[in-house]
Amino acid sequence: GGCFFLLSLLLVWVHGRNYKDHRVVEIFVETDEEVTLLNVLQAEKAIDAWSSDSLIVKGGNQVLIHNNHTTFLEKVFGSRMQSWIDDVHERIQEEQRIHREYLSSLEKRETKDWYSTYHPYEELIEYLQDYANNHPELIIKYDVAGKSLEGRDIPIVLITKSSDPAPETMWILGGQHAREWVSPAATIYTMHKLVQSYSTDAKMKSLLQRYQFAFAPIINPDGYVYTWTKDRLWRKNRRPLSSGQYGVDLNRNWGYKWGKH
């Protein structure tokens, strides 16, 4: 139909890793044809869906687009397309500015909240190692769950106050999708709050006396490093594929009924 004629024109536009002139819009999809249209655009890398599984569904979808695509999509979706982030490049620049300010404050020996910015891989590792060493009130162990494809440590912090030599373990994972920097940050902050509340919160104390908590905040370190050095919006890991492309979506590679008793 008309959608796919316009699609053939749109796919002439190719853009790389520079996010100047990119924006994020929310598109409200109503029909199967619209779902197919946007999933074709996604497959052709003309758009990038920002959903949990990176697929278009009926209802609201946040989508990264180049400004040159706006007219085409407005023609298809009209008022069902609304602006969400007007300037993606500017947002990325702002993230970088905040981190530079954080590093500058460290050089000046100023007190700065570690959680006030996102951190590259090396800073995350250093923080986790220091954290495990600086909280003797609990049994905290820094360990390495394994190595990534590119040889980076996949860090894990084990926390408990249980007297059981093999307590039941509750896993908290972060950083599967490389570009979602808030995921490692939120996982580490959750760890911090758990430790911080041990002496003041009876419920947390009870949980820590019964369970071991395993925090693995960055299980896709290669992809995460790539977002800091090459492409801020890279999502997958960096596994080379037979097609010549790179990347496996880690959250689609858990075994069926993983962890089910």
Side-chain angles (χ1 to χ4, degrees):
C3 282
F4 288 94
F5 171 73
L6 290 170
L7 167 61
S8 64
L9 297 178
L10 177 59
L11 292 182
V12 171
W13 291 100
V14 179
H15 52 80
R17 295 168 184 163
N18 184 339
Y19 294 99
K20 246 181 173 177
D21 302 319
H22 284 71
R23 58 199 293 238
V24 177
V25 296
E26 184 164 40
I27 298 175
F28 292 87
V29 177
E30 294 179 346
T31 68
D32 291 338
E33 184 186 32
E34 290 172 351
V35 169
T36 301
L37 166 68
L38 291 179
N39 277 323
V40 169
L41 291 176
Q42 168 88 343
E44 295 290 340
K45 303 187 185 306
I47 65 171
D48 184 8
W50 280 17
S51 63
S52 60
D53 57 6
S54 203
L55 291 175
I56 300 293
V57 296
K58 287 183 181 178
N61 298 265
Q62 285 81 42
V63 178
L64 174 75
I65 66 171
H66 191 280
N67 286 343
N68 288 321
H69 301 165
T70 301
T71 301
F72 163 77
L73 291 169
E74 283 179 342
K75 191 169 290 188
V76 177
F77 295 99
S79 62
R80 289 185 287 125
M81 186 177 86
Q82 300 173 5
S83 183
W84 205 48
I85 299 174
D86 289 328
D87 189 333
V88 172
H89 178 73
E90 183 181 311
R91 290 289 185 93
I92 293 172
Q93 295 292 101
E94 177 68 7
E95 282 181 336
Q96 294 170 349
R97 183 191 64 76
I98 292 170
H99 189 253
R100 285 195 301 271
E101 285 182 358
Y102 171 81
L103 293 178
S104 176
S105 72
L106 294 184
E107 290 174 3
K108 297 173 185 175
R109 300 187 181 278
E110 297 172 353
T111 302
K112 189 77 171 178
D113 183 5
W114 193 84
Y115 296 100
S116 65
T117 184
Y118 294 117
H119 296 271
Y121 172 76
E122 293 77 11
E123 290 179 17
L124 295 181
I125 297 297
E126 182 181 11
Y127 181 82
L128 293 171
Q129 290 172 334
D130 289 346
Y131 202 91
N133 292 329
N134 293 333
H135 290 83
E137 72 275 18
L138 289 164
I139 303 167
I140 302 182
K141 179 185 177 185
Y142 174 87
D143 206 346
V144 175
K147 294 281 189 180
S148 70
L149 190 71
E150 295 180 351
R152 294 183 177 89
D153 288 349
I154 300 173
I156 181 173
V157 177
L158 306 170
I159 304 175
T160 189
K161 195 66 172 177
S162 173
S163 57
D164 187 334
E168 287 187 79
T169 299
M170 299 180 68
W171 284 82
I172 298 93
L173 307 181
Q176 291 193 94
H177 296 153
R179 67 191 181 193
E180 295 168 12
W181 290 359
V182 72
S183 179
T187 305
I188 293 172
Y189 187 70
T190 302
M191 176 193 77
H192 169 65
K193 294 302 287 185
L194 180 72
V195 172
Q196 199 177 49
S197 63
Y198 175 74
S199 59
T200 59
D201 189 315
K203 188 176 287 185
M204 290 297 103
K205 192 169 191 174
S206 174
L207 285 171
L208 280 162
Q209 288 173 343
R210 179 177 177 184
Y211 298 106
Q212 174 175 256
F213 287 80
F215 289 90
I218 181 161
I219 63 173
N220 180 11
D222 297 342
Y224 187 76
V225 168
Y226 196 76
T227 65
W228 280 84
T229 58
K230 299 291 185 182
D231 182 354
R232 173 62 184 89
L233 299 182
W234 183 261
R235 171 187 170 92
K236 302 177 182 182
N237 72 359
R238 293 295 299 161
R239 180 180 178 179
L241 306 177
S242 58
S243 63
Q245 297 181 329
Y246 283 81
V248 171
D249 208 343
L250 295 183
N251 73 316
R252 300 184 191 177
N253 282 270
W254 294 95
Y256 176 60
K257 292 188 177 179
W258 179 85
K260 187 176 178 64
H261 295 289

